[in-house]
Amino acid sequence: MAEAVPPPDPSSQAGVADSLVALARRRGIDVTDDLPIVALLEAIDPAPLVPHRMVLVAGAVMALAFRHDRSLAAAAADPGDGPTADRSF
């Protein structure tokens, strides 16, 4: 049975890598500062359904698409709302 990971705290400044490091440490994996993210993912899940490198590439492509979409977004009509890309992506 997989360990339940609590949802991220929106007020937290921790990134994805910090969350992965915390998960690895909870599972007893020794994490060093120079450990590549692919090695960290391999230590957390040695037999993934989707290869770790493919997940990292997909994440990078989605981040690029989001940044591009956001750069093309029209300004929000209400100053309290984010750009239209934040609501449509």
Side-chain angles (χ1 to χ4, degrees):
M1 189 169 176
E3 176 183 336
V5 178
D9 179 13
S11 64
S12 172
Q13 295 299 316
V16 174
D18 294 333
S19 299
L20 287 174
V21 167
L23 177 63
R25 287 188 175 143
R26 281 196 305 269
R27 292 186 178 187
I29 299 167
D30 185 32
V31 179
T32 60
D33 289 340
D34 61 343
L35 185 68
I37 193 76
V38 173
L40 180 61
L41 289 170
E42 182 67 29
I44 292 172
D45 186 9
L49 185 59
V50 178
H52 298 301
R53 291 187 190 278
M54 187 177 274
V55 170
L56 293 174
V57 168
V61 169
M62 288 181 64
L64 179 66
F66 178 78
R67 283 193 299 270
H68 177 72
D69 191 35
R70 188 177 179 127
S71 70
L72 298 177
D78 183 10
D81 289 342
T84 55
D86 289 350
R87 295 189 304 268
S88 67
F89 191 83

